[in-house]
Amino acid sequence: MSRTVFYAGSFDPVTFGHLDLIERAARLFDRVVIGVGVHHGKKPMFSGDERVALLRDAIAGLSPAPAGAVEIVTFDNLVVDAARSHGAAAILRGIRDATDFDYEMQMSGTNGMLAPGLDTVFLPASPAHRHIAATFIRQIAQMGGDVTAFVPPVAAKRLQEKLARPAPHSA
């Protein structure tokens, strides 16, 4: 029996913390389906297609590549419905701190009511990545800061390109 986990997020942008969870999940499960949330009410920095491409490039750049099958999809419905549609037995959630834990426990309970039998698996963030949050990374990048310690090179490059401002015209 194949063990599939569904790892949902915005991945706006993909971070070293995300990649750490993907690598670890690939060791624990036969198949990891990464679900990039594409919700019409949200205004991400990168489009869904851009986020999928960033994830693909970032995962391809890992050495060694994660064991097990890793698939990247987009979804715009409930996480439990997306997870079920991809044959997942569990939803993967990363936990950085107690605030994450409290929120994720509530979400796990709600998801359990919506989809009995679909478990939630929590993985604590590795100490080297515990402080990384995509929201902070976007803010740092928007203010011209260096994000290379937080995101893979492909994401740092795309952030820089996305935020590049045209040079002022001289008169």
Side-chain angles (χ1 to χ4, degrees), residues 37-44 75-76:
V38 181
H39 303 285
H40 304 292
K42 293 192 175 185
K43 302 275 188 250
F75 72 100
D76 64 357

Side-chain angles (χ1 to χ4, degrees), residues 75-160:
F75 72 100
D76 64 357
N77 54 343
L78 293 172
V79 170
V80 293
D81 292 337
R84 281 197 243 177
S85 73
H86 290 282
I91 295 170
L92 173 67
R93 299 304 298 165
I95 303 289
R96 291 175 297 206
D97 57 24
T99 302
D100 280 356
F101 180 78
D102 289 341
Y103 174 80
E104 295 297 344
M105 283 299 292
Q106 289 178 326
M107 186 63 65
S108 173
T110 302
N111 287 341
M113 295 294 293
L114 292 171
L118 182 62
D119 289 315
T120 299
V121 174
F122 299 118
L123 281 181
S126 294
H129 306 298
R130 192 161 286 147
H131 60 283
I132 298 175
T135 302
F136 295 151
I137 293 164
R138 287 192 304 274
Q139 290 172 348
I140 292 166
Q142 288 167 339
M143 297 181 82
D146 181 7
V147 297
T148 57
F150 310 111
V151 298
V154 65
K157 181 178 185 234
R158 287 292 294 124
L159 275 165
Q160 186 177 32

